[in-house]
Amino acid sequence: MNEKNVFINCPFDNSYFKLLKPLLFSLCYIDLNPQISETSDSGEIRLHKIKGLIEDSQYSIHDLSRMEPMKVSELPRFNMPFECGIDFGMKLSNPEEFANKKFLILEKEQYRYQKVISDISGNDIKAHKNDPEQMIKVVRDWFKPTNPGIPRHKEIWLAYNEFEYDYEEILKSEGYDPKDINALTFSDIIENMTAWIEKYKMK
């Protein structure tokens, strides 16, 4: 396992993008490497990709906040609980290899998970309240005990707002919709964040 890799399990749609960007930015800002599956192959191959990312990541962040349908006519999304289960299963089945594996489980409300997936009680479960700044605070605070030198969440939040302005202006100038999660690949977004943060910290 790479001690700087963080496997991300979350929704990949435009309504969640406002939370995904500060989540990724927070990890990049504290010098961690977000790991997201971007394969468009068949389900079986995608599972192999996810398994590989989980195996290579000391940390995992699972956002289970989409337990209810977005619209009345829709069904709930179960990809996130499914991938969370894969991660837990790998750790439980091989405790020696994954002894240092750590999970952060995110929710919209602090105790709502108990109604649908009570078996995860006792793990680190934090509520982001669908708020970008709260997302940064939750992620930053979770890593603080093992990373004493990381800045306070307000510093990361202020830097993120500057990045978001620059990011939107660049994408607009290149003809992309900055609100579209599919405008760039996640690899491109992470590379842009990392480069921007390096310049920002040199000021």
Side-chain angles (χ1 to χ4, degrees), residues 2-13:
N2 187 318
E3 63 182 11
K4 287 197 170 186
N5 283 357
V6 184
F7 172 68
I8 306 296
N9 169 26
C10 69
F12 297 137
D13 56 46

Side-chain angles (χ1 to χ4, degrees), residues 103-120:
F103 305 113
L104 170 62
I105 299 173
L106 299 176
E107 242 286 39
K108 181 172 66 175
E109 302 165 13
Q110 185 65 48
Y111 300 108
R112 191 176 62 143
Y113 73 92
Q114 293 177 343
K115 298 178 181 178
V116 293
I117 186 169
S118 58
D119 283 352
I120 61 174

